[in-house]
Structures are given as structure tokens and as C-alpha cells.
Amino acid sequence: MNVLVVGGAGYIGSHCVKQLQAAGHRALVLDNLVFGHRSAISDDVTFYNEDLGNRSAVAKILLEEKIDLVMHFAAFAYVGESVTDPLKYYENNVGNTIQLLLAMTDAGVKKFVFSSTCATYGEPDELPIVEDTPQSPINPYGTTKLHVEHILKDLAHTGEISSAVFRYFNASGAAEDGSIGEDHAPETHLIPLAIAAATGQRGALKIFGTDYPTPDGTCLRDYIHVDDLARAHISVFDQLAEPNKFVDYNLGTGKPTSVREILDAVEKVSGLPVPAEEAARREGDPPSLYADNTKARTELGWEPQYMDIESNIATAWKWHQSHPDGYGDTQD
Ligand code: UFG
């Protein structure tokens, strides 16, 4: 398959490009490098430095490169910023995605794989989260992703585009060979921040909230390895062979892990203490989010390989050791 990976220079997109190549597909990347890293993409991959909202330019690429399927990873994803600047999020995550979908209809490309999030479920009443758990986001970031899901459902109904929607839980880890990994600017995610606290690159890790209704009082999350996420994307192609398809899958390990358990695991893997201090809850953090991944396992034959949090963090640690400043192209 010829696959255009939009946002392919970002964290999850770049791991997907690597997996697509390993599976024998032709992966091409479109990224405006606002958050992506050029060096996350190997030189043998065709790269377009282009904005996904540029309908005519994207349609031209889709036609010229005979693209069969588009994967869309490019979005703004800072929950806090989405609350203070919602229009920025609606413009990019919804508006530009509509332009991308219009470009696909212009070029007659009919298959789409979309990165959604467990944030579309808000604070669910039931755990673990299944695909038909009610979706009720509690921040604009989650709402923008849900809007796109609704658009995709409507497009499947018309037969114009078939879609697979993946709702990621906490993407984490790095490529097994240490070549690519996580580098956000600013970094807000727990595992890279804990590693940076352990190595002394940052001050003590702030534990946001220790009075949650969870076993140790800290939030529970479902840390799914980025290569496990990438593998699910490749196993969904058959599902999109027919028109009018809309399929959705939760991608998580199904195992809840607390903030304190993450800090313990980082200490074990690195052999270094993680300086940490208790802090107030962070606004908008649900106490517990973890997936029921039965649907992805049964329908896609997908099995997450990194079920043990230490094996996941070991890959993040390996990446950090060879790239202590990430890709070295941004200041955080
Ligand atoms: N945390 C800390 N200290 C930190 C950073 C995080 O205690 O310095 C805690 C958070 O409070 C949370 C857990 O660690 O309980 C994980 O936090 P992350 O920021 O790593 O991840 P989130 O669960 O907040 O966010 C992820 C994705 C978002 C998505 C969200 C859905 O990164 O894109 O899940 O809830 F929207």
C-alpha cells in the first residue's frame, strides 16, 4: 500500500512510518514540522514539508503519489492549552482535518486511519473503558477529536471515505533500537519527565494529586507502547477494504498503573532515584483511565507486546541515553 502519514514526523507517526516500512508498505510523510522532527524520518522516506490544511497541495500529492490510504496523526494535544485557547484547537484539529478530508475526496482516496484519544470518554462511569462507553469529553482537546469521529461516521455513511478510529490511551516508550523516541517541547508527559528528574536534567517530579480514590492515591493510567500502537494501525487495513466502513478501537494494555508505580519502575530501570514531591491535583485529570482492549484483540488479532511497564520504560530509557536532549532541534 502507498500510505501518506500526516504528522509522520511526530512521536506516534514516526514510529508508525518505521513499522509500515518493516511491513513492506511505502510510507510517505507530510508534516509542517511545527511539532514534528525532520530527523525522526529516515532519508529514504519521501517527505513533504506541507500544511495538512492546504487542500490543493495535499490533493496534488495524493494523486501524484497514487496514495491508497491516509493516516492522520497531526494535531495539537496539550489539554491545558485547549482550555485556554480552544479556537486554536478547533481550527487545527477540526478545521484542518476537514481540509485534509476534502483533499482526499478531490483525489478519490477512500481509506483513512485517525488518531483519537481516550480523552473523548471524559470521566467515564465504568472501567475498563469499552468502545461503547459514552463519549463525553471534559476538555476542548477531547471534543475536537470527538467532532472528527462524528464527521468520519457521516462520511462512511455516504460511502466517500471508510475510516478506522483508534483511541489511544497513554502512548509511551520508544523504538526498540533506540533510533527514535519521545521529544515534545514543552514536555508534559509523566515518563519523560520522571526520566529527566532521575538524570538531574530537571528538578523534582511533581506528583499531581495524592488523594485520588485509587489504591495509592495517585492517578491510574494505561501506558501503551508506541510500537504496539503502530502495529495496530497496520493490522486494520483489511477492515477498510469495503466502502461505508467505520470501525473504532481502544488501544491500551488494559492494565492500570499509578503515578507512583511509574516512578518506581523508572528507578528500577535506570538504577537512579527519581526525586519527587507531592503537589496539588492538575486540573482536568480524571482519576482512572484504562482500556478494555478485547475488540482490537479479537477483530484485528492485535496483541500488545509491552505488557510489563518496566519493559516499556526500558525502551524510553534507552532512547534517553542515546538522545539526552531528544532530537536536539527544539528548546524545552
Ligand atoms: N503527572 C504527574 N506529574 C507530571 C506529569 C504527569 O503527576 O509532571 C501525572 C498526571 O497527573 C497523570 C499521569 O501522570 O495522572 C499521566 O500524565 P500525562 O501528562 O503523562 O498523560 P495524561 O494521562 O494526562 O494525557 C494523556 C495524553 C493526552 C490525552 C490524555 C487523556 O497525553 O493527549 O491522556 O486523558 F488527552
Side-chain angles (χ1 to χ4, degrees):
M1 285 256 239
N2 291 335
V3 181
L4 184 68
V5 185
V6 176
Y11 174 42
I12 306 171
S14 59
H15 287 78
C16 215
V17 169
K18 225 165 128 67
Q19 298 278 338
L20 279 163
Q21 286 189 298
H25 297 288
R26 177 164 179 256
L28 301 87
V29 170
L30 184 140
D31 199 300
N32 63 6
L33 299 180
V34 168
F35 285 112
H37 306 276
R38 183 64 185 87
S39 48
I41 297 302
S42 72
D43 291 337
D44 60 344
V45 173
T46 303
F47 178 79
Y48 290 97
N49 186 341
E50 187 53 79
D51 203 293
L52 73 127
N54 189 342
R55 174 177 174 179
S56 56
V58 175
K60 191 163 174 274
I61 293 166
L62 294 173
L63 279 170
E64 284 179 1
E65 298 286 5
K66 300 187 168 47
I67 297 296
D68 301 300
L69 181 147
V70 173
M71 290 188 181
H72 179 25
F73 297 90
F76 295 150
Y78 291 105
V79 170
E81 184 187 48
S82 80
V83 176
T84 53
D85 196 354
L87 272 182
K88 178 175 173 181
Y89 278 68
Y90 284 98
E91 180 186 32
N92 189 45
N93 295 5
V94 183
N96 284 335
T97 299
I98 291 172
Q99 295 305 313
L100 173 63
L101 292 165
L102 285 166
M104 286 177 63
T105 56
D106 292 344
V109 179
K110 292 182 170 301
K111 294 173 190 159
F112 193 63
V113 179
F114 179 62
S115 301
S116 190
T117 167
C118 62
T120 58
Y121 294 109
E123 294 193 27
D125 290 333
E126 51 178 286
L127 288 165
I129 300 172
V130 289
E131 284 75 2
D132 53 13
T133 296
Q135 287 175 283
S136 182
I138 57 167
N139 53 60
Y141 165 66
T143 308
T144 61
K145 291 287 183 177
L146 187 56
H147 277 317
V148 174
E149 288 195 22
H150 289 155
I151 292 167
L152 298 178
K153 233 177 242 174
D154 292 341
L155 278 175
H157 184 71
T158 65
E160 279 172 286
I161 293 175
S162 286
S163 288
V165 165
F166 287 119
R167 298 187 194 108
Y168 307 150
F169 283 67
N170 287 59
S172 42
E176 194 71 55
D177 65 5
S179 59
I180 54 174
E182 187 167 11
D183 179 4
H184 297 109
E187 188 56 80
T188 59
H189 295 101
L190 178 61
I191 294 172
L193 288 179
I195 288 176
T199 56
Q201 285 168 294
R202 289 180 188 256
L205 188 281
K206 285 190 167 61
I207 301 175
F208 295 142
T210 53
D211 58 351
Y212 282 102
T214 58
D216 68 15
T218 65
C219 287
L220 296 174
R221 293 286 182 275
D222 183 336
Y223 296 87
I224 178 77
H225 194 275
V226 64
D227 273 341
D228 283 330
L229 292 179
R231 276 188 280 270
H233 289 66
I234 294 158
S235 61
V236 82
F237 293 172
D238 287 349
Q239 303 277 326
L240 299 177
E242 294 156 32
N244 302 110
K245 288 281 272 194
F246 175 91
V247 290
D248 59 340
Y249 298 100
N250 288 343
L251 295 182
T253 61
K255 273 174 60 173
T257 306
S258 75
V259 174
R260 287 196 199 281
E261 286 170 330
I262 292 290
L263 302 191
D264 289 347
V266 170
E267 290 192 344
K268 268 210 188 123
V269 167
S270 67
L272 298 168
V274 178
E277 59 193 41
E278 297 188 359
R281 291 182 178 196
R282 186 172 67 177
E283 210 189 330
D285 273 344
S288 294
L289 292 172
Y290 52 97
D292 182 326
N293 60 17
T294 311
K295 189 177 177 194
R297 290 167 51 162
T298 11
E299 292 187 12
L300 304 179
W302 175 74
E303 283 296 331
Q305 305 294 305
Y306 294 85
M307 287 300 291
D308 164 46
I309 192 64
E310 283 174 33
S311 68
N312 177 329
I313 290 175
T315 63
W317 176 243
K318 183 173 179 182
W319 155 251
H320 181 83
Q321 282 184 302
S322 59
H323 298 78
D325 300 312
Y327 292 101
D329 54 1
T330 47
Q331 294 287 317
D332 182 2

